[in-house]
């Protein structure tokens, strides 16, 4: 299984980025997908989750209303649209996958992890 995250970069506060995560080696539509992030010196934290059909999503309070998670099962890809970015959103963002149909919010619930993509928001 491979999860390849992309789309990170440097953006000014208030700007937007869209992260993508292309999955291979698994039956993508059978997996709940998640996004986590890790800032320097901090623990990895939950950002967003989306169920196999996209019918259910969940967000961390810190990103609710600004970030949107979506997926395209035909392309084996999950997305994270990030708007109104803040300096505190600066982190390495990881996509992750778990076989099953329910949303998941904890790192321990996920099986497969991508390599991460750096997002830096300047003030």
């Amino acid at each position: 299984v491979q999860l390849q995250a992309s789309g990170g970069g440097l953006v000014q506060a208030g700007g937007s980025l869209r992260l993508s995560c292309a999955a291979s080696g698994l039956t993508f539509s059978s997996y709940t997908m998640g996004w986590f992030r890790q800032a320097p010196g901090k623990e990895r934290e939950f950002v967003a989750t989306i169920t196999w059909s996209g019918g259910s999503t969940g967000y961390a309070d810190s990103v609710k209303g600004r970030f949107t998670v979506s997926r395209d099962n035909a392309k084996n890809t999950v997305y994270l649209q990030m708007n109104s970015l803040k300096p505190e959103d600066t982190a390495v963002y990881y996509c992750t996958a778990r076989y099953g149909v329910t949303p998941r919010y904890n790192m321990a619930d996920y099986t497969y992890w991508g390599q991460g993509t750096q997002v830096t928001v300047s003030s």
Side-chain angles (χ1 to χ4, degrees):
V1 173
Q2 286 193 329
L3 301 175
Q4 183 71 41
S6 61
L10 174 64
V11 63
Q12 289 188 334
S16 298
L17 282 174
R18 189 175 82 153
L19 305 183
S20 300
C21 175
S24 60
L26 75 171
T27 304
F28 185 71
S29 59
S30 296
Y31 282 73
T32 287
M33 301 298 293
W35 287 97
F36 286 72
R37 67 186 181 186
Q38 187 167 18
K42 295 188 176 181
E43 293 186 351
R44 195 171 297 188
E45 64 176 6
F46 167 77
V47 176
T49 181
I50 184 167
T51 54
W52 69 277
S53 65
S56 182
T57 58
Y59 298 92
D61 287 344
S62 59
V63 307
K64 202 170 292 183
R66 299 188 298 121
F67 290 12
T68 302
V69 62
S70 62
R71 65 191 294 162
D72 185 340
N73 287 346
K75 296 183 178 180
N76 285 8
T77 302
V78 62
Y79 305 97
L80 186 67
Q81 178 66 44
M82 306 186 295
N83 298 329
S84 302
L85 282 161
K86 305 175 181 180
E88 51 263 44
D89 294 318
T90 295
V92 176
Y93 283 71
Y94 298 89
C95 66
T96 185
R98 183 201 193 304
Y99 181 81
V101 300
T102 57
R104 295 287 175 171
Y105 302 88
N106 298 310
M107 282 181 55
D109 291 335
Y110 287 89
T111 308
Y112 302 109
W113 291 82
Q115 86 291 355
T117 185
Q118 176 71 46
V119 172
T120 303
V121 184
S122 63
S123 57

